[in-house]
Amino acid sequence: MANKILGRIKKLFQSQLAIPIIALLILVIFNLIRDPSFFSIAIKKNNLGNTVLSGNLVSILNGASELVILSIGMTLVTSATKGQDISIGAAAAIAGSVFVKILRAGTINTGSVIFGILLACIVAILFCLFNGVLIAKFNIQPMIASLILYTAGRPIAYWINGGATPNVEGKILTYIGGFIPHIAIPTPILVVIIFILLMNLLLKKTTLGLYIQSVGINERAAKLNGINPVLMKMLVFVILGVCVTMAGSINVCRIGLINHETILLDIEMDAILAVAIGGNSLAGGKFKLSGSILGAYIIQALTITLYAMKVSSTAVKAYKAVVIIIIVVAGSPVVKAWLKQLKDKVLPKAKTEKVEAK
């Protein structure tokens, strides 16, 4: 039994998830040494009188919700197109603006919220498909193609609401962005769990995940095997449209307004880093959603850790950049190859010494 457990642990640390797991363990150990109560969870009453969970761990899981959702979309885009979409923050701003526009047009209730999310989703998908057409049909490099929406997206979001930053208030919005009565876990965490389960069902129970990876690995070979590369690339941008809508809507519900300049600002950079930290190749091909999800939580955990250490918000990005560079370099093919060579040199010596001892 012990050998089986050790074997599984060894297999895990030799897998794609090795780097993110090690990074997460280092963060956990560092915080436990620095402050043993860092990960403690408290039960308290919020402003509405509901019993809720609080603490740094809850803040990490809750605060990373939008990033996790966008990291999933970014992973699929990276896999199929061999590049990254840098306009997801701007697209989320557009989706959020459409959502707010619908909510302010009438009474805020369950029906208007659902309608607002659906319409925002359609608009976001159309904008994401604009990028998809440039990439799939015109073979423009993804980062260059998405640079158009990255530049124009937030001004478009600004125009949708007439240049204003309107507030939206309603119980249902508070429930989505905060807590549902009698449920102690923040709603965004529950939304993320449901979304991850649905994406796993879609990618594991159908051939979609396999087709996306096939196009990313070798587009010509995929085409010869009957897979339509253009269709696969367009589909990942449809999924990305859903992701940016969910992220934008959650953020609007969380803060109760839409500000085109600040909503999910620089989230695209964190999403790309989450994909890289998760061990996924930024050159496309095979992907592991669990790696990107773990990468998103590592970035949020690092942010919360820095704030807990009283690091100013201005300096947080610099500290994050240093740590992330270390993580990404440690997981690079060059370092992995060097570690393998080192292992091959050390292990034979160890085996020889054992044989001679016998």
Side-chain angles (χ1 to χ4, degrees):
M1 186 68 179
N3 288 335
K4 280 186 180 180
I5 294 169
L6 286 171
R8 286 177 184 175
I9 293 170
K10 187 179 177 182
K11 190 177 179 181
L12 183 64
F13 278 90
Q14 288 175 342
S15 71
Q16 180 183 321
L17 295 175
I19 296 299
I21 288 172
I22 291 168
L24 191 60
L25 284 173
I26 291 170
L27 267 174
V28 169
I29 293 166
F30 174 78
N31 278 302
L32 288 174
I33 293 169
R34 187 187 61 81
D35 179 8
S37 64
F38 183 83
F39 292 107
S40 62
I41 297 175
I43 298 173
K44 67 173 188 179
K45 295 274 187 181
N46 65 2
N47 295 332
L48 299 174
N50 297 318
T51 302
V52 299
L53 298 176
S54 68
N56 288 319
L57 184 58
V58 177
S59 296
I60 291 166
L61 295 174
N62 187 25
S65 298
E66 292 96 324
L67 180 56
V68 170
I69 291 169
L70 291 174
S71 297
I72 290 171
M74 186 68 80
T75 303
L76 299 180
V77 168
T78 299
S79 175
T81 68
K82 302 180 182 179
Q84 291 72 48
D85 187 321
I86 62 170
S87 66
I88 56 173
I94 293 170
S97 292
V98 172
F99 182 49
V100 169
K101 185 81 173 177
I102 296 299
L103 292 178
R104 289 179 63 83
T107 306
I108 297 176
N109 52 38
T110 306
S112 64
V113 169
I114 292 171
F115 178 66
I117 290 172
L118 287 175
L119 189 60
C121 192
I122 291 167
V123 172
I125 287 171
L126 289 174
F127 275 100
C128 288
L129 281 175
F130 170 75
N131 289 344
V133 169
L134 293 178
I135 294 162
K137 296 294 288 184
F138 294 94
N139 294 321
I140 297 174
Q141 208 278 335
M143 197 167 284
I144 301 301
S146 58
L147 187 61
I148 300 166
L149 189 57
Y150 173 80
T151 305
R154 292 186 186 275
I156 291 169
Y158 177 75
W159 295 331
I160 288 170
N161 283 293
T165 54
N167 296 322
V168 281
E169 294 179 359
K171 280 188 177 179
I172 188 166
L173 300 182
T174 305
Y175 297 160
I176 296 170
F179 294 86
I180 298 170
H182 311 300
I183 298 178
I185 301 169
T187 307
I189 296 176
L190 301 176
V191 172
V192 167
I193 292 169
I194 293 167
F195 186 71
I196 290 171
L197 291 173
L198 289 174
M199 285 305 303
N200 269 310
L201 283 173
L202 177 65
L203 297 172
K204 301 288 185 183
K205 298 299 179 182
T206 69
T207 55
L208 181 61
L210 178 63
Y211 286 0
I212 289 170
Q213 291 182 101
S214 300
V215 170
I217 293 168
N218 191 322
E219 191 172 320
R220 186 177 293 179
K223 195 171 183 179
L224 290 172
N225 281 282
I227 300 169
N228 188 334
V230 173
L231 177 61
M232 288 301 108
K233 289 177 183 179
M234 300 298 272
L235 276 175
V236 297
F237 281 98
V238 170
I239 295 170
L240 185 64
V242 175
C243 292
V244 299
T245 303
M246 289 187 65
S249 301
I250 288 172
N251 198 261
V252 166
C253 294
R254 197 192 287 277
I255 62 176
L257 58 85
I258 179 71
N259 186 328
H260 73 283
E261 289 183 344
T262 59
I263 181 173
L264 301 176
L265 188 64
D266 297 330
I267 194 77
E268 48 278 322
M269 300 303 126
D270 281 347
I272 294 168
L273 285 169
V275 174
I277 291 169
N280 295 296
S281 171
L282 295 181
K286 289 189 71 175
F287 66 85
K288 208 171 186 66
L289 282 187
S290 54
S292 298
I293 293 165
L294 202 54
Y297 285 121
I298 287 168
I299 291 169
Q300 186 64 23
L302 179 58
T303 304
I304 297 292
T305 299
L306 291 170
Y307 281 133
M309 294 171 66
K310 310 297 182 186
V311 175
S312 67
S313 57
T314 309
V316 161
K317 288 184 180 180
Y319 282 99
K320 275 173 66 178
V322 172
V323 175
I324 287 164
I325 286 169
I326 293 168
I327 294 170
V328 172
V329 169
S332 67
V334 174
V335 174
K336 283 181 178 177
W338 178 77
L339 288 172
K340 190 177 182 302
Q341 286 177 358
L342 186 65
K343 179 186 170 185
D344 291 340
K345 284 179 182 178
V346 172
L347 285 180
K349 286 181 181 179
K351 286 177 183 177
T352 307
E353 285 171 5
K354 273 187 178 181
V355 171
E356 286 176 357
K358 285 181 179 178

